[in-house]
Amino acid sequence: MPLLYLLISAMPLTRDPLWEHFVSDLTAIKFLGLGCLGYAFWHCMVARRGPGLLRAPEARWMQALCAWAAISWLTLGAPIAWEQSPLLSYCSFFLLLVITLCVVDTWQRLEQVLWAAVAAVAIAGLYILREWQEYHNVYAHFRPGWITGDPNYFTASALIGLPVALAFCCAPIAWWKRTVAAGCMLVTLLAVGLAASRGGLLGLGAMAVVFAWRKRCLAILLLACMAALPPLIMWQNSPLNRLLHPTVSDTQSSDSRLALWQAGVDMIAAHPVAGIGLGEFKPEVEEYAAHHKDLDHIAHNTYLELAAEMGVPALCGFLLILFSSQRTLARMWREASAPNAGALPPWAGEAALGLQTGMLGFAISAFFLSAQYTKLFWLLIALSAAIRGLLADHALEPSPARSMGGSMGDARRHAAASFPAEVAAHG
């Protein structure tokens, strides 16, 4: 398990010189993943867990998407070296699914992995804060994000871990755990503000509304928004000001994205089933946007890029992954809120709500980013599949109420059967 925690902690650090250093043909983080895979197989053999681990709907759809990506790469893909190809990323995500399903087989391990995800985005947030401290007086309109990569992609990862930290703050757990969660949430929230992602702000707003509505604390959310509004307005580089008063650079970025989206729509119209090939969007985009120059960029829209590169079936598979995961987390929320939820840990309901809102925030920010390669998102999908297995095990366990009811029923039936014999004996 420590290897898995280390792997999760490195997920938001896309340019860390340690983890992104190439050793032979693979980066150090991929060798760490291979170590986790070896441990996962060993754990499965010791626990004698069967091959039914991949039967969760989200796991099945994820397998289908990875298989479709392999076919697209082998038949239409861009001529890129294997170690740098997008197909390697899909293979890594599938292996992450296998590792998670093998290892996260108890509620305690699920809690530990969730804490690792919360800590991962908080550590990445510390890098953001440090970069802001060092460089914001050097460069105009500075947005931190080197070790963590592009600030927009950091925000997409942070939106997954942030509501989980908030959920732990609300959960009935030890006070020191709630304090740690509050500290991680504060660091991550400050880093998200400094990253100044406009799409991230929209995702964060949607998450906050849904979380407050489900927790019936909309008044607290309103007060928090009123408190946050003055600094967001006064700070020139805030995401709110970038939305309300865009600079020339912001306007050019928006125009470029609109042109990229139109090119993506044209690609889908020309190749609706198979797409243009995995990894081909950037090399081919100028052919579909001839009236725009210098557009050799990714689509900046996850859904458009998936459909453009691998066809509408790939987009449907991705949406079905999101839908299946949301259903699993909703089921976890319902069962944790049920009166006979004694076998579930006390934090389960809050964690389910945090994961649900995190997926919602990511899905909204992914409309403005090509975020299908975000590692923490695929960890969330893998955890959803693991949660389905844990819920199935919980359903097989007899609840205390059913056990008590069965014992009392057996006693009543035994008493009713013995009553006529006693009457005859004493008649």
Side-chain angles (χ1 to χ4, degrees), residues 4 7-8 11 49 52-63 66 90-107 109-110 113-114 117 160 318 321-322 324-326 328-329 332 355 359 374-391:
L4 181 59
L7 179 67
I8 294 171
M11 285 181 177
R49 304 187 71 198
L53 293 171
L54 296 171
R55 290 178 181 172
E58 48 266 57
R60 289 180 179 272
W61 287 117
M62 186 172 172
Q63 293 174 71
C66 291
Y90 279 100
C91 292
S92 301
F93 300 147
F94 174 73
L95 292 179
L96 177 63
L97 172 69
V98 173
I99 292 168
T100 306
L101 290 175
C102 290
V103 173
V104 183
D105 54 356
T106 64
W107 291 106
R109 289 192 166 198
L110 174 64
V113 170
L114 292 177
I160 295 172
F318 185 79
I321 290 172
L322 290 173
S324 301
S325 299
Q326 283 286 358
T328 298
L329 296 173
M332 181 180 174
L355 292 171
M359 190 176 296
T374 303
K375 301 179 184 72
L376 277 178
F377 166 73
W378 292 108
L379 174 67
L380 192 157
I381 299 301
L383 288 177
S384 172
I387 287 170
R388 182 172 284 268
L390 294 175
L391 292 176

Side-chain angles (χ1 to χ4, degrees), residues 15 21 24 33 40 43-45 51 57 61 75 94 96 133 196 203-204 219 245 249 270 300 332 338 349 391 405:
R15 290 178 182 162
H21 177 70
S24 184
H43 181 74
C44 272
M45 288 189 295
W61 287 117
T75 57
F94 174 73
L96 177 63
Q133 178 190 13
L204 181 63
H245 309 289
S249 176
H300 290 291
M332 181 180 174
L391 292 176

Side-chain angles (χ1 to χ4, degrees), residues 2-19:
L3 285 178
L4 181 59
Y5 304 148
L6 192 59
L7 179 67
I8 294 171
S9 69
M11 285 181 177
L13 308 179
T14 59
R15 290 178 182 162
D16 187 279
L18 172 63
W19 297 119

Side-chain angles (χ1 to χ4, degrees), residues 25-287:
D25 292 334
L26 298 177
T27 56
I29 192 172
K30 289 184 171 61
F31 280 102
L32 178 60
L34 291 175
C36 292
L37 184 64
Y39 169 74
F41 283 137
W42 174 83
H43 181 74
C44 272
M45 288 189 295
V46 171
R48 297 182 179 180
R49 304 187 71 198
L53 293 171
L54 296 171
R55 290 178 181 172
E58 48 266 57
R60 289 180 179 272
W61 287 117
M62 186 172 172
Q63 293 174 71
L65 180 62
C66 291
W68 191 265
I71 295 171
S72 178
W73 169 258
L74 294 174
T75 57
L76 302 169
I80 306 173
W82 158 252
E83 63 271 12
Q84 297 176 345
S85 69
L87 180 58
L88 182 59
S89 296
Y90 279 100
C91 292
S92 301
F93 300 147
F94 174 73
L95 292 179
L96 177 63
L97 172 69
V98 173
I99 292 168
T100 306
L101 290 175
C102 290
V103 173
V104 183
D105 54 356
T106 64
W107 291 106
Q108 181 182 7
R109 289 192 166 198
L110 174 64
E111 181 186 9
Q112 292 167 352
V113 170
L114 292 177
W115 276 109
V118 169
V121 295
I123 292 170
L126 290 175
Y127 277 104
I128 291 286
L129 296 178
R130 174 56 180 159
E131 290 175 11
W132 169 261
Q133 178 190 13
E134 189 166 357
Y135 297 113
H136 78 281
N137 286 324
V138 179
Y139 303 101
H141 305 292
F142 176 72
R143 296 174 62 199
W146 174 250
I147 296 295
T148 60
D150 186 283
N152 296 313
Y153 289 95
F154 160 76
T155 303
S157 295
L159 292 182
I160 295 172
L162 185 62
V164 179
L166 178 59
F168 280 134
C169 290
C170 303
I173 55 178
W175 66 269
W176 64 269
K177 289 186 177 181
R178 293 197 300 271
T179 303
V180 171
C184 291
M185 182 183 68
L186 179 61
V187 169
T188 306
L189 194 59
L190 287 174
V192 168
L194 294 177
S197 171
R198 292 172 289 180
L201 179 64
L202 297 177
L204 181 63
M207 281 169 40
V209 171
V210 171
F211 198 99
W213 174 65
R214 295 283 292 274
K215 295 293 292 180
R216 295 180 174 85
C217 55
L218 289 172
I220 297 178
L221 173 62
L222 181 60
L223 291 175
C225 291
M226 292 175 62
L229 194 59
L232 286 175
I233 293 176
M234 293 173 62
W235 178 35
Q236 183 180 3
N237 292 337
S238 73
L240 182 60
N241 270 328
R242 292 189 67 214
L243 278 173
L244 299 178
H245 309 289
T247 63
V248 174
S249 176
D250 293 333
T251 303
Q252 291 175 347
S253 174
S254 299
D255 294 341
S256 174
R257 293 192 183 197
L258 290 175
L260 289 166
W261 293 357
Q262 184 58 54
V265 171
D266 294 340
M267 292 178 188
I268 297 170
H271 307 277
V273 178
I276 61 173
L278 181 62
E280 285 282 4
F281 189 97
K282 188 173 181 178
E284 298 289 334
V285 66
E286 289 192 350
E287 293 187 11

